[in-house]
Amino acid sequence: MSSGPVNRCFIKVAVPCPLRKCFDYSTHDCPAPGSRVEIPFGHRNLVGVVIATLACEPSRTVKPVIRIIDPEPVIPPTLLELMLWAADYYHHPVGEVILMALPPQLRTARVLTDPESVTVYSRNNEVSEESALSLLSRSRRQRQLYEHLQPDHRYSLAMLSRHPALSDMKNLKPILGKLVTRNLVSEASQFPTTDCPDIIPFPGQLTEEQLEAVNRVNQYAGIFQTFVLYGITGSGKTEVYLHIIEQILARGQQSLVLVPEISLTPQLVSQFTNRIGKQVWCYHSSMSPSDRYKTWWKARTGTAGVILGTRSAVFLPVSRLGAIMIDEEHDSSYKQQEGFRYHARDMAVKRASIENIPVILGSATPSMESMEHARSGKYKLLCLTERTGKSQLPGIFLVSLRKHPAPDGLSPHIVDAIAKQLDLKQQTILYINRRGFSPVVHCGRCEWQAKCPRCDARLTYHRSVSRFVCHYCGKAEHSYETCPRCDHRLSFLGSGTQRIEEALAKQFPQASIFRFDRDRLQSLESLHKAITQVSDQRIDIIIGTQLITKGHNFPKVTLVGVINPDQGLYSIDFRAPETLFQQLVQVAGRAGRGPDPGKVIIQTAHPRHVYLDIIRNHRFSDFYQVCRDEREMTRLPPFSHIALWRASSVRAGAGLEFLGLVQQMGTELINALDLDTIELMDPVYSPMQKIDRHYRAQLLVKSSNRRLLHKLLGPWVRAVEGTRANRKKIRWSIDVDPMDLY
Ligand code: ADP
Ligand code: ZN
Ligand code: ZN
């Protein structure tokens, strides 16, 4: 008998491998796009995600899938669309994009289960107790357990193992398993009843500006629109988010709130839970895989009212998404700096457009890109120009380091101001963007400097551990006091957090001082503890790096000192002025958030610098004008779209040679595709030429038209991926919309 035609279906699968393409397989049942399948790949079996079903049989023979893991898609269609778009836009392998966006537990062949369901056991009523006991007459432990189960009661494993009568039974689970197989006990899943407590209403009254912002966003239910919520520090942006969220919950929908990496503190979470109750779920990379999975599940089933997460939360399958909010939208932690280099803010805007919902980008210092969109009218601008309640913006004063020497980094102005703070029992933040004791170890006689042998960087003296440390590769060596070349006594120049800490301890022995930097706060937990100590006013003076600038609300901080911002004024990085401006405004915004007025002192050798002048006079919107002119003149974002090729290699010239080849391919494509508006620079060594023994080179591409840039990048990246040169000991990447050109 001849066999009839076998019903077969062909599918396109994204596989987690570094290739920029999908692979075809065959199946009997046709899984929907977004479902996971287990597939043979090379010598291994991998988990991939179905992207599409093919209309016809591929010309090449394809292997069958091993099994379809999900009966229904784990990735809903709109999210799959976003991921495919992202892989295309960032020119990154699609399999890596999709699998990275799943919680770790779903990257394996594990089947989906409700993380909150519990297996419960009960007697099988179909079998009489009498016959059951006779069946079990020879199995003492099974019998004992069976007798323990009361008819018509349900027991979870945890309940049983806690019971004293069963305490001598070690492995309850296999015994229960046997009873189930013998059909004497049945097992079932039980779901906890969900309790959603009421929303606790806002005790205060929204300001007119807050109300206006909330109302305008609420008009866009089910309509795509990007808003920039430009609200000065302390203007109550969080309360605006909360009111929008309330409306969305009332419609039975969910909200996604993204926050920068370091800001997901217990303080922020309780600010949300205090109002929205148990419907708030967190998602960030330091959570355990099972907690992440729980939030993922709650998002997907629509049971999480609000999801509060960092960058990667933008890829959660929130099934009834009503709006996305991005707090501190200017923050650079939204851009992933390695592997799949996506920008979570840009992803959020794209997602909102796919889902037809509003997206709100909030900040006291919005990015140049967002402000430019607001200017052009593409984004709608919502302004909060006043602080809430009684608090006012702090006065800002500049101290010239040319006129007033600052031994150990502290000018007399700052020392006096701190003394007053201590008298008044108020808190002070000193902001300095350098860890360690001294960033320059120098010989005054022969000009020798301590440099890292692996990197293009100076070593920083860390006095507390007696080491010279490289902040790029982490290399540390024992410190010494005399010049290794001429034996002269070494000088330790410049100030880091540790030197300031020492100087303060000498000046103010009675004060409690806390250093808030990565050396001191290595875990998230220690960071959270420190924040609580500051809130409880157990600390008088906080010395901090950027860690302290972000979003915190400490009402008793009334003085902020900036030790030395000058590095940022003359940096070669095109975003340095913007970053400096954002950091200064943010740290200044920590001052005077309570009823007492605040004061900010900035020490600088360049008190006349235009940016510092703008900050001193609170003319923040002027900053955007000045910076805009600079970017327009140099044709940098937002006045052009850029992409950066990076290559690194152990041999000094290899990366540069490779990028020479890349440039050649690019030029050919530009000619072939007639894209003469695209500017292709020459490959150069990166400003940080060497990090951790690898030489780094880069090649910049600029275009005034985004579409044309991507028309070039697509075939270009594929061509580079296909070259033989690519295989040779070179690590390369393409960074679309890079944050820096280092
Ligand atoms: P931002 O994020 O804009 O810097 P926050 O959202 O942290 O500001 O708000 C600053 C403080 O003002 C918070 O303690 C908040 O509870 C309070 N607040 C917000 N809105 C109001 C309001 N309308 N009236 C009184 N206090 C408010
Ligand atoms: Zn010397
Ligand atoms: Zn180094």
Side-chain angles (χ1 to χ4, degrees):
M1 223 174 93
S2 70
S3 60
V6 184
N7 229 349
R8 278 209 299 168
C9 162
F10 298 94
I11 53 174
K12 210 164 116 178
V13 178
V15 180
C17 76
L19 295 175
R20 287 168 174 78
K21 60 176 196 175
C22 293
F23 297 84
D24 297 339
Y25 289 90
S26 68
T27 64
H28 288 291
D29 303 315
C30 226
S35 317
R36 291 172 306 150
V37 285
E38 195 174 351
I39 37 137
F41 191 77
H43 303 295
R44 293 175 301 163
N45 293 343
L46 292 178
V47 172
V49 172
V50 181
I51 298 302
T53 37
L54 301 175
C56 53
E57 185 168 352
S59 49
R60 296 191 325 138
T61 52
V62 297
K63 289 185 186 161
V65 304
I66 296 167
R67 108 194 139 89
I68 297 168
I69 302 168
D70 302 312
E72 54 186 287
V74 285
I75 303 168
T78 48
L79 186 56
L80 190 62
E81 186 183 339
L82 178 75
M83 290 169 172
L84 294 177
W85 179 85
D88 198 47
Y89 182 81
Y90 291 103
H91 303 276
H92 196 79
V94 62
E96 287 187 1
V97 170
I98 294 181
L99 271 290
M100 181 244 41
L102 288 175
Q105 295 193 337
L106 296 181
R107 294 174 204 165
T108 62
R110 227 178 127 131
V111 290
L112 273 188
T113 47
D114 185 335
E116 294 200 321
S117 77
V118 187
T119 310
V120 286
Y121 301 89
S122 55
R123 276 193 189 184
N124 182 357
N125 289 334
E126 309 291 313
V127 184
S128 72
E129 179 171 319
E130 206 181 356
S131 51
L133 289 177
S134 78
L135 263 172
L136 293 173
S137 59
R138 316 194 59 183
S139 333
R140 188 183 58 81
R141 298 199 310 161
Q142 290 178 46
R143 186 185 162 116
Q144 190 189 344
L145 187 54
Y146 182 85
E147 284 181 317
H148 181 80
L149 303 176
Q150 299 290 316
D152 299 321
H153 275 61
R154 296 164 146 231
Y155 301 84
S156 70
L157 191 61
M159 279 161 74
L160 291 171
S161 51
R162 272 199 306 269
H163 202 280
L166 300 173
S167 60
D168 55 327
M169 259 194 249
K170 287 285 168 297
N171 285 321
L172 281 176
K173 200 165 177 192
I175 307 173
L176 279 165
K178 280 186 195 139
L179 288 168
V180 172
T181 336
R182 297 176 96 158
N183 210 17
L184 303 176
V185 164
S186 29
E187 92 191 318
S189 288
Q190 179 172 299
F191 300 93
T193 49
T194 45
D195 53 328
C196 285
D198 291 339
I199 291 169
I200 298 110
F202 180 48
Q205 204 170 14
L206 288 188
T207 64
E208 246 166 62
E209 289 177 328
Q210 283 175 316
L211 196 62
E212 161 85 11
V214 172
N215 287 341
R216 283 189 59 198
V217 174
N218 286 345
Q219 284 164 6
Y220 284 82
I223 302 169
F224 167 56
Q225 176 62 50
T226 310
F227 294 92
V228 177
L229 178 61
Y230 179 20
I232 63 167
T233 53
S235 59
K237 292 184 286 294
T238 314
E239 204 44 61
V240 171
Y241 304 143
L242 286 167
H243 274 76
I244 296 168
I245 290 168
E246 281 176 2
Q247 284 285 327
I248 289 170
L249 283 172
R251 291 202 302 267
Q253 289 185 307
Q254 303 166 277
S255 305
L256 180 60
V257 182
L258 300 187
V259 297
E261 209 59 69
I262 211 73
S263 318
L264 198 48
T265 60
Q267 272 185 324
L268 180 78
V269 177
S270 59
Q271 208 179 341
F272 275 78
T273 46
N274 285 345
R275 290 282 311 287
I276 315 281
K278 286 190 192 143
Q279 304 188 53
V280 179
W281 290 80
C282 292
Y283 194 83
H284 56 86
S285 53
S286 9
M287 278 163 56
S288 72
S290 67
D291 284 344
R292 282 165 82 179
Y293 179 61
K294 216 179 243 182
T295 300
W296 183 91
W297 179 272
K298 290 262 164 193
R300 182 170 175 272
T301 49
T303 43
V306 183
I307 295 123
L308 202 53
T310 52
R311 188 173 62 218
S312 61
V314 78
F315 292 113
L316 284 173
V318 190
S319 57
R320 289 182 287 129
L321 192 53
I324 310 177
M325 280 146 260
I326 297 146
D327 193 29
E328 312 287 0
E329 67 92 26
H330 64 278
D331 197 281
S332 59
S333 74
Y334 285 124
K335 170 95 185 192
Q336 179 141 308
Q337 299 283 15
E338 56 197 31
F340 172 35
R341 297 165 187 260
Y342 68 99
H343 199 303
R345 176 197 60 215
D346 300 344
M347 268 323 85
V349 171
K350 181 68 193 177
R351 183 162 186 184
S353 86
I354 295 175
E355 313 241 11
N356 274 316
I357 53 169
V359 51
I360 300 103
L361 316 180
S363 176
T365 51
S367 63
M368 285 299 297
E369 279 85 348
S370 297
M371 282 305 250
E372 196 49 32
H373 285 315
R375 234 176 83 98
S376 75
K378 190 173 164 199
Y379 294 178
K380 292 199 188 308
L381 192 61
L382 309 168
C383 292
L384 307 179
T385 58
E386 280 167 14
R387 280 194 165 178
T388 61
K390 294 203 170 57
S391 76
Q392 289 182 350
L393 278 180
I396 300 180
F397 305 88
L398 302 182
V399 173
S400 166
L401 287 174
R402 299 224 170 122
K403 284 197 206 132
H404 309 281
D408 287 328
L410 300 170
S411 67
H413 300 75
I414 283 202
V415 174
D416 288 350
I418 295 175
K420 280 205 195 100
Q421 290 291 102
L422 293 173
D423 284 345
L424 294 170
K425 301 238 174 317
Q426 300 206 326
Q427 292 172 298
T428 301
I429 287 179
L430 291 182
Y431 171 61
I432 176 164
N433 213 353
R434 275 177 171 162
R435 294 184 289 126
F437 184 84
S438 146
V440 185
V441 180
H442 172 85
C443 169
R445 189 197 282 161
C446 78
E447 302 285 307
W448 177 89
Q449 284 196 349
K451 290 200 179 128
C452 178
R454 298 182 196 163
C455 307
D456 231 4
R458 283 196 290 249
L459 297 177
T460 296
Y461 177 36
H462 283 237
R463 180 127 106 189
S464 55
V465 289
S466 306
R467 277 188 158 72
F468 293 158
V469 180
C470 172
H471 285 179
Y472 289 89
C473 69
K475 183 191 155 55
E477 56 186 59
H478 277 291
S479 61
Y480 34 85
E481 309 244 301
T482 56
C483 173
R485 204 152 70 185
C486 76
D487 228 23
H488 189 70
R489 206 176 158 71
L490 290 173
S491 337
F492 301 110
L493 308 177
S495 298
T497 45
Q498 291 179 12
R499 180 173 234 155
I500 301 292
E501 184 182 23
E502 263 195 44
L504 284 170
K506 249 185 250 159
Q507 287 268 1
F508 305 109
Q510 77 285 15
S512 66
I513 301 168
F514 192 90
R515 180 159 53 79
F516 216 94
D517 63 20
R518 241 172 247 292
D519 297 317
R520 178 80 186 261
L521 306 169
Q522 302 214 327
S523 70
L524 216 55
E525 206 186 333
S526 57
L527 175 69
H528 294 164
K529 225 160 104 188
I531 290 171
T532 312
Q533 282 187 322
V534 177
S535 312
D536 295 351
Q537 293 185 56
R538 275 179 279 157
I539 293 166
D540 300 315
I541 308 170
I542 305 115
I543 304 159
T545 54
Q546 295 109 298
L547 280 189
I548 195 75
T549 64
K550 296 189 180 170
H552 311 297
N553 205 354
F554 304 128
K556 280 289 174 186
V557 170
T558 48
L559 174 66
V560 166
V562 178
I563 300 298
N564 190 344
D566 294 349
Q567 214 188 1
L569 291 175
Y570 295 102
S571 162
I572 47 167
D573 181 28
F574 81 98
R575 275 190 221 269
E578 184 184 348
T579 309
L580 178 72
F581 171 76
Q582 287 159 347
Q583 283 174 358
L584 289 182
V585 174
Q586 293 288 346
V587 74
R590 298 314 111 208
R593 291 172 75 96
D596 301 315
K599 178 175 174 175
V600 178
I601 299 177
I602 301 174
Q603 306 185 140
T604 173
H606 308 280
R608 285 168 196 276
H609 196 287
V610 53
Y611 291 139
L612 293 180
D613 196 55
I614 287 173
I615 289 172
R616 175 175 53 185
N617 293 306
H618 292 280
R619 296 196 330 260
F620 298 158
S621 47
D622 287 7
F623 170 80
Y624 290 99
Q625 193 52 51
V626 175
C627 191
R628 185 176 187 274
D629 291 347
E630 271 179 22
R631 300 270 183 94
E632 193 163 19
M633 222 161 57
T634 47
R635 294 224 318 128
L636 281 163
F639 297 96
S640 68
H641 302 281
I642 58 176
L644 190 69
W645 289 91
R646 291 194 180 89
S648 79
S649 56
V650 176
R651 184 166 68 79
L656 216 51
E657 283 162 27
F658 175 73
L659 291 183
L661 220 75
V662 172
Q663 184 190 31
Q664 212 179 327
M665 291 185 214
T667 313
E668 279 164 22
L669 278 167
I670 287 175
N671 292 335
L673 298 169
D674 216 4
L675 299 170
D676 48 16
T677 54
I678 292 182
E679 247 182 289
L680 195 54
M681 311 289 149
D682 284 324
V684 290
Y685 279 116
S686 310
M688 271 298 293
Q689 193 180 336
K690 200 170 113 191
I691 293 183
D692 205 5
R693 295 202 194 92
H694 284 76
Y695 288 88
R696 308 164 70 244
Q698 61 191 35
L699 169 63
L700 180 67
V701 199
K702 280 188 194 177
S703 167
S704 50
N705 183 309
R706 196 193 290 272
R707 200 180 51 80
L708 294 184
L709 177 65
H710 286 270
K711 196 170 162 195
L712 168 67
L713 287 179
W716 196 8
V717 173
R718 258 174 276 129
V720 171
E721 196 176 55
T723 56
R724 301 178 119 258
N726 160 28
R727 314 256 174 275
K728 285 199 204 131
K729 293 181 182 155
I730 289 177
R731 280 209 311 250
W732 62 268
S733 64
I734 176 85
D735 191 351
V736 176
D737 306 331
M739 287 307 274
D740 59 61
L741 305 181
Y742 274 74

